[in-house]
Amino acid sequence: MKDMRHMYGIELAIPAGKLPGFYAQVIHKIGDHVNVFARDKLLFIVESEEERDKLAAILQKSNMLGEEFSLLLLPPQAVIDEGADIGFVTENGHTFVYADQVALFTADKNSGSPDDRWAAAEQWKEHVKGTIPQADQADTIYLIDSNLAELAAGIAKAYKVKLDFLALS
């Protein structure tokens, strides 16, 4: 899982009736006290639990603490389908997936026959939400909804293709 990093996202919940100046003060305080890696609209993304806790404390005190997400930053060559609900691309071009909603796997190029690998890949196509191409002839990493991991494994088994699921810890 080199080139992939675990991060944390916290959504800003804007309470009704607050003036824009209040929102600006909170954003300024976040900028002064939290090392924000990336931002996507109302989602602030940080690299560590310590930064996540600082961000949560500021937002909690301001009654603006929204939903928290465990995220995985993908390498620049990663591609996720537009509209895929497993992740998003930030305004500055970082690709993230929700760590609890995605499963990542590779298909062993030496298992099964070439026809079997092709047939399995054709069936995966309708479920794959993204890919991470690898250099040096390494196996492409496929991204699917974590609820479909068993289905992908079943397709692989039917075609005698070996899958390796990557741990997201």
Side-chain angles (χ1 to χ4, degrees), residues 12-74:
L12 187 90
I14 300 176
K18 292 289 183 186
L19 297 174
F22 177 76
Y23 172 77
Q25 286 176 346
V26 172
I27 299 300
H28 184 72
K29 189 168 189 171
I30 291 169
D32 286 347
H33 299 284
V34 180
N35 183 13
V36 176
F37 176 83
R39 199 173 152 191
D40 190 55
K41 300 178 184 90
L42 297 177
L43 181 68
F44 288 82
I45 301 165
V46 296
E47 296 183 72
S48 69
E49 290 181 21
E50 179 184 344
E51 294 298 316
R52 178 200 61 198
D53 294 346
K54 288 193 288 186
L55 176 58
I58 291 169
L59 294 175
Q60 181 69 46
K61 187 175 181 180
S62 306
N63 291 322
M64 297 178 82
L65 181 61
E67 195 170 351
E68 186 176 319
F69 302 95
S70 178
L71 301 170
L72 191 62
L73 172 65
L74 301 181

Side-chain angles (χ1 to χ4, degrees), residues 86-162:
I86 61 164
F88 57 94
V89 178
T90 63
E91 294 167 3
N92 58 356
H94 294 293
T95 303
F96 289 92
V97 291
Y98 300 105
D100 62 341
Q101 295 179 22
V102 70
L104 286 73
F105 69 89
T106 60
D108 184 342
K109 292 179 182 174
N110 297 316
S111 64
S113 70
D115 287 345
D116 286 341
R117 288 191 303 276
W118 177 86
E122 285 297 304
Q123 287 198 22
W124 288 322
K125 274 185 187 176
E126 66 183 85
H127 306 293
V128 169
K129 303 285 186 177
T131 58
I132 305 172
Q134 302 297 298
D136 304 326
Q137 300 299 316
D139 296 334
T140 295
I141 298 173
Y142 296 95
L143 292 83
I144 58 170
D145 185 302
S146 58
N147 295 324
L148 299 176
E150 280 188 41
L151 175 65
I155 292 169
K157 185 176 181 180
Y159 290 100
K160 297 175 180 63
V161 176
K162 181 179 181 286

